[in-house]
């Protein structure tokens, strides 16, 4: 049996092209996530400014809350504080995993 170097090189290139395409899609997805995070941060800043403007124009926090417009930033901080999961590895290991 003879080995054709060109055929093997072409097959290897096809495999590499598939892997490169997968990485390209991953990079595009990560770029989109970064863009959306940037847009979200900007929208949150605008929201905070608008909330402050509303309170300076005479709306109380209670009134805004009754309208369903609570202080988004403060509400997020409270929610994050109460729902923050424990960091990985902070819980003690099960006893039988130590005996392995």
């Amino acid at each position: 049996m003879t080995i054709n170097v060109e055929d093997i090189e072409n097959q290897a290139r096809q495999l590499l092209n598939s892997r490169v395409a997968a990485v390209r899609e991953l990079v595009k997805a990560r770029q989109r996530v970064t863009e959306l995070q940037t847009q979200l941060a900007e929208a949150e800043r605008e929201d905070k400014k608008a909330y402050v403007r509303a309170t300076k124009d005479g709306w109380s926090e209670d009134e805004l809350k009754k309208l369903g417009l609570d202080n988004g930033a403060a509400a997020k901080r409270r929610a994050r504080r109460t729902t923050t999961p424990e960091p990985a590895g902070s819980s003690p290991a099960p006893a039988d995993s130590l005996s392995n």
Side-chain angles (χ1 to χ4, degrees):
M1 177 176 168
T2 59
I3 298 175
N4 185 326
V5 174
E6 270 186 44
D7 286 344
I8 292 178
E9 285 179 354
N10 287 334
Q11 290 174 0
R13 278 190 188 91
Q14 287 176 345
L15 291 172
L16 288 174
N17 287 342
S18 172
R19 293 175 72 191
V20 168
V23 168
R24 183 180 301 116
E25 291 304 313
L26 176 58
V27 169
K28 287 180 183 179
R30 296 280 170 93
Q31 287 173 330
R32 177 136 169 80
V33 167
T34 300
E35 290 168 5
L36 291 173
Q37 287 172 332
T38 301
Q39 289 176 10
L40 177 60
E42 184 178 319
E44 287 175 338
R45 283 190 297 273
E46 290 173 11
D47 177 75
K48 184 177 179 180
K49 287 178 186 177
Y51 186 87
V52 169
R53 253 190 325 271
T55 58
K56 286 183 178 180
D57 283 344
W59 289 95
S60 73
E61 289 187 24
D62 285 340
E63 290 170 327
L64 292 171
K65 190 173 183 176
K66 286 178 186 175
L67 294 170
L69 300 169
D70 62 337
N71 186 348
K76 275 189 201 170
R77 281 193 303 273
R78 281 191 300 272
R80 253 188 245 138
R81 222 178 297 140
T82 59
T83 61
T84 303
E86 285 187 26
S90 64
S91 59
D96 53 332
S97 70
L98 299 174
S99 61
N100 291 339

